[in-house]
Amino acid sequence: MKRLPKHWLLMFIGLFIVLPFGYHFYSLSTPGELDGFTQCLADKQVKFYGAFWCPHCQSQKKIFGKSAKLLPYVECSNSDGKTQTQICIDQKITSYPTWEFPGEPEKQTGELTLAQLAEKTGCVLPQ
């Protein structure tokens, strides 16, 4: 059986191992389109309460794309998926997602659009 030259082995390693990891880390480090908007929500002390198992919470995060990592998100579910974290018990969070806006007495439940969030907070959406 004929052996492949060493440069073929290096190309294989580069293409199938190093390149995918490099792309993954590059994509994590590049800014998201809504980074500024999401950071504004955090700066205004808005809170987004949710649970990892909640499909509406996942949908809510999805509209932020790569910028979801900057959301002022509070996880309410313990790892068992059945009990609630103490912070959410203290805040009387009963459904997900729940949004809390400083200065407003009532929390808002359900998925909100980017336009609704911009209107409630004064944060500017990118064009």
Side-chain angles (χ1 to χ4, degrees), residues 45-58 60-61 64 71-77 84-102 104-112 117:
Q45 299 180 343
V46 171
K47 297 278 190 255
F48 163 29
Y49 298 94
F52 67 87
W53 48 261
C54 165
H56 292 288
C57 300
Q58 298 308 315
Q60 183 75 84
K61 289 178 183 179
F64 287 89
L71 277 168
Y73 178 74
V74 178
E75 178 61 49
C76 286
S77 181
Q84 201 175 40
T85 59
Q86 191 60 49
I87 189 168
C88 295
I89 293 168
D90 294 345
Q91 292 297 318
K92 297 176 177 45
I93 306 300
T94 58
S95 66
Y96 311 116
T98 294
W99 288 88
E100 181 179 42
F101 301 94
E104 289 192 16
E106 298 289 319
K107 295 174 178 71
Q108 190 161 350
T109 60
E111 294 178 50
L112 299 181
L117 290 166

Side-chain angles (χ1 to χ4, degrees), residues 17-31 66 69:
I17 298 173
V18 175
L19 203 58
F21 282 111
Y23 176 77
H24 175 72
F25 288 113
Y26 169 76
S27 67
L28 289 177
S29 67
T30 56
K66 288 175 60 173
K69 64 186 179 289

Side-chain angles (χ1 to χ4, degrees), residues 4-20:
L4 291 174
K6 284 187 180 183
H7 69 276
W8 282 98
L9 178 61
L10 293 174
M11 283 178 47
F12 174 80
I13 291 171
L15 286 173
F16 296 103
I17 298 173
V18 175
L19 203 58

